Amino acid sequence: MLERIQETAAFLKQKMHTHPETAIILGTGLGSLVNDITDAYEINYADIPNFPLSTVEGHSGKLIFGKLGGVDIMAMQGRFHFYEGYGMKEVTFPVRVMRELGIKTLFVSNAAGGMNPEFSIGDLMIITDHINFFPEHPLRGKNIPYGPRFPDMGEAYDRELIKKADAIAAEMGIKVQHGVYLGTQGPTFETPAEYKMFHIMGADAVGMSTVPEVIVARHCGIRVFGVSVITDLGLEGQVVEVSHEEVQKAADAAQPKMTAIMRELIARSGE
Ligand code: HPA
């Protein structure tokens, strides 16, 4: 496993002429951030040794290197979900490669269903903590010596970055929520009873990604900042039908707010 990660990193290092310490997983709501990357150069996942191959036809995915707000960055356009059939090692492989490349901070986004009655569709929720509800743990198996066998998860989401993001959102007049994200395997959206259970368990939003990558990033000592776009609501007694199209529509509408905060936060993250 470690050899494969290092082989991939060595391949990328040969192609890279920048040395980013910041990575972004362009999840739902952040796709348009690519338009702000300058001095960009790209490497298709299909050309990277050991990289998982995308299951979505026509969207093989790529790494984009360049500058965002004056900061050298590496962006993943296209992520791997457990529900697509990838194993946890594949879902999180790119994060371990990031560690080998010298990444120190990871920015992630996702779409999520809101269960907190204070939330509305289109809200941004800064992730303050998570609940891992995936059926397989990404660190299961032989410990890769990037971190301890039993890693601490007391501050999975960096408090300093949350504070900075709050300040930026306030300056920009963008309303943000805070909350706990629960990651589950999907691909079904939740039944009303499941939304209720997740809320009782302490989650404010539920989605099908992010938690595996964050766990692996923390194991590697990479600090993390994450935001969910609330694309639908699973409130007790008010659960309405959810579709991928609606999720996409709500995420697209929230995209400008999301990218504005991320762009500025990345620009200031080194300060
Ligand atoms: N549940 C799980 N994943 C999601 C949801 C949801 O309600 N909305 C967007 N992604």
Side-chain angles (χ1 to χ4, degrees), residues 111-114 184 188-190 195 206-208 229 231-234 242 247:
T184 186
T188 45
F189 293 112
E190 284 61 40
Y195 282 123
V206 54
M208 306 172 197
V229 191
T231 55
D232 53 277
L233 295 170
V242 196
V247 165

Side-chain angles (χ1 to χ4, degrees), residues 230-253:
I230 303 301
T231 55
D232 53 277
L233 295 170
L235 303 177
E236 199 177 354
Q238 304 174 44
V239 176
V240 291
E241 201 180 315
V242 196
S243 69
H244 180 63
E245 288 67 33
E246 275 174 83
V247 165
Q248 204 56 52
K249 212 169 112 191
D252 288 347

Side-chain angles (χ1 to χ4, degrees), residues 164 264 267-271:
K164 279 187 185 168
E264 189 58 27
R268 292 190 205 175
S269 61
E271 287 171 10

Side-chain angles (χ1 to χ4, degrees), residues 18 30 44 58 92 107 114 118 199 213 216 224 230 268:
T18 50
L30 270 189
N44 289 324
T92 58
F107 295 85
E118 306 280 305
H199 190 227
E213 293 109 311
V216 167
V224 175
I230 303 301
R268 292 190 205 175

